[in-house]
Amino acid sequence: MPEDVRHIEWEDLDKRKFYFFGPTLFLGIRALLYPANLIKTRLQVQRKNDLYKGSFDAFGKVVKSEGIRGLYKGFMVNCAGLLAGQCYITTYELVRSKASGNSDAVRGFLAGGIASVVGQTIVVPVDIVSQTLMIQGQGEQKSKVKLKGATGVFQEIIKTSGLRGLYKGYFASLITYAPSSAIWWSSYNTYTHWVGNIVPAGTPHIVVKAIAGPLAGLTAATLTNPLDIIRTRLQVRKDSRSNFDFYKASSINNPLFKHDKNTSATRLVYL
C-alpha cells in the first residue's frame, strides 16, 4: 500500500502562481470542453427528440448547419465565469482550512457546498446569457435567422424581465450545484483514500488523483443531473417567472416537461 496521498492546503499555495496559472489553465480546459457543454445544453432543452436524436447526431447537425463556430456560441461570455471559478476555489480552500478538525470527506463536503453558493451568485447571470446564445438559431438555416450577440441578448433580458431576469433559475442553480460540489469534493477525498489503498506500492500520487477525480465527477453528475436539466430549462425560458418556480418546474405536469409525458422518468432526466 502506498503512503497516504497528501492534500495541498491553502497555506501551502503560492498565491501569485495560483491566481495566474489557475485562470489560464481553466481557460484552456473550458475551450476544450465547451462544444460538449453546448451539445449538452441543447439536448437538455429540446422536447422529446424533435431536433436531435443524441449527442453524436447533435454534434453533426450543429457542424453541418452552423459550422465549427456554432460549437462555440456564447464562449466569450462564458469565459467571464472564470472569475466565479477563482472565487469558488478560494472560498473552498478557506472554508476547508477553517474546518481542519474534521475528516477530509466532511471538510470537502462543507467547503464544496459553501463555495458553490459563492460561485453561483457570480456565474448565474453569465450562464443565462451564454446558454441563450448557445441555443438560438438551432435547427435553422443561417440565412433564415438573425442571431443576436451577447449585448442584444442582455438587453432583451433586461427589457423583458428586469435585473431579476439575470437570476432566473438562481434557486435551482443553488440546489443543483451546491449538492453537486459538496458531493464531488467529499467523493474525491473518499475515492483518493480508497484508490490509494488498492494501487501497488510506489504508484505516483498524480495517478491516484487522476483516477479519483473522474470517479467523483461521475458520482456527482449521476446524482444531480435531473436537477441540472430543470435548472437549464428554467434559465433559457423567455418569460419573467420567479426563481421559485423550481418546484413547479420539477412537476411532470409543468410545461417544461409536457412533451415528455410518454417518456420514462429515467430517460427523461438522464438522456
Side-chain angles (χ1 to χ4, degrees):
M1 181 176 69
E3 60 184 286
D4 289 338
V5 178
R6 179 174 178 268
H7 291 276
I8 299 175
E9 302 293 344
W10 178 250
E11 294 78 11
D12 300 324
L13 292 174
D14 183 323
K15 307 304 187 296
R16 288 184 298 177
K17 291 182 179 179
F18 174 73
Y19 286 112
F20 175 77
F21 290 110
T24 303
L25 291 174
F26 280 123
L27 177 62
I29 294 171
R30 189 170 297 228
L32 181 65
L33 299 179
Y34 192 80
N37 189 31
L38 181 140
I39 296 300
K40 182 198 73 170
T41 299
R42 292 197 175 189
L43 289 173
Q44 286 181 334
V45 301
Q46 76 169 347
R47 304 296 184 257
K48 276 190 173 180
N49 291 329
D50 55 357
L51 186 57
Y52 307 119
K53 297 178 181 179
S55 300
F56 292 107
D57 180 62
F59 181 86
K61 287 181 176 178
V62 170
V63 173
K64 182 178 180 180
S65 62
E66 304 172 45
I68 296 297
R69 292 182 62 184
L71 295 172
Y72 283 90
K73 280 184 175 178
F75 177 70
M76 294 305 296
V77 174
N78 191 264
C79 285
L82 291 172
L83 171 63
Q86 289 303 105
C87 292
Y88 168 89
I89 199 65
T90 299
T91 303
Y92 171 81
E93 292 292 351
L94 289 174
V95 173
R96 191 173 185 276
S97 67
K98 296 296 183 181
S100 57
N102 300 287
S103 67
D104 284 339
V106 172
R107 294 171 69 194
F109 187 88
L110 291 174
I114 295 173
S116 186
V117 173
V118 174
Q120 287 306 303
T121 301
I122 300 171
V123 83
V124 164
V126 175
D127 279 348
I128 295 283
V129 176
S130 65
Q131 286 171 353
T132 302
L133 291 169
M134 283 181 185
I135 66 172
Q136 69 171 344
Q138 59 178 334
E140 302 286 345
Q141 295 295 325
K142 288 189 289 185
S143 60
K144 296 181 179 180
V145 61
K146 185 177 180 180
L147 303 179
K148 295 182 179 180
T151 302
V153 169
F154 178 83
Q155 291 174 341
E156 182 181 22
I157 292 172
I158 295 297
K159 181 179 179 180
T160 58
S161 306
L163 290 175
R164 289 181 62 187
L166 293 175
Y167 279 91
K168 186 165 51 177
Y170 175 68
F171 181 67
S173 292
L174 287 184
I175 63 176
T176 298
Y177 286 116
S180 176
S181 177
I183 291 170
W184 193 94
W185 285 108
S186 61
S187 298
Y188 172 73
N189 287 303
T190 300
Y191 285 132
T192 297
H193 290 298
W194 178 68
V195 173
N197 286 329
I198 63 174
V199 296
T203 300
H205 289 180
I206 190 65
V207 174
V208 175
K209 294 182 178 183
I211 297 173
L215 287 175
L218 178 62
T219 302
T222 301
L223 294 176
T224 62
N225 191 64
L227 298 175
D228 190 37
I229 290 178
I230 295 171
R231 174 196 65 84
T232 302
R233 291 190 177 188
L234 279 173
Q235 289 183 336
V236 299
R237 295 189 70 169
K238 293 184 178 180
D239 58 31
S240 57
R241 298 191 182 190
S242 75
N243 298 312
F244 295 96
D245 276 349
F246 176 84
Y247 292 110
K248 294 180 181 179
S250 62
S251 169
I252 199 69
N253 295 316
N254 187 271
L256 285 172
F257 294 101
K258 68 181 180 180
H259 296 294
D260 295 319
K261 287 182 178 179
N262 296 323
T263 309
S264 67
T266 301
R267 180 177 175 82
L268 172 66
V269 298
Y270 285 104
L271 296 184

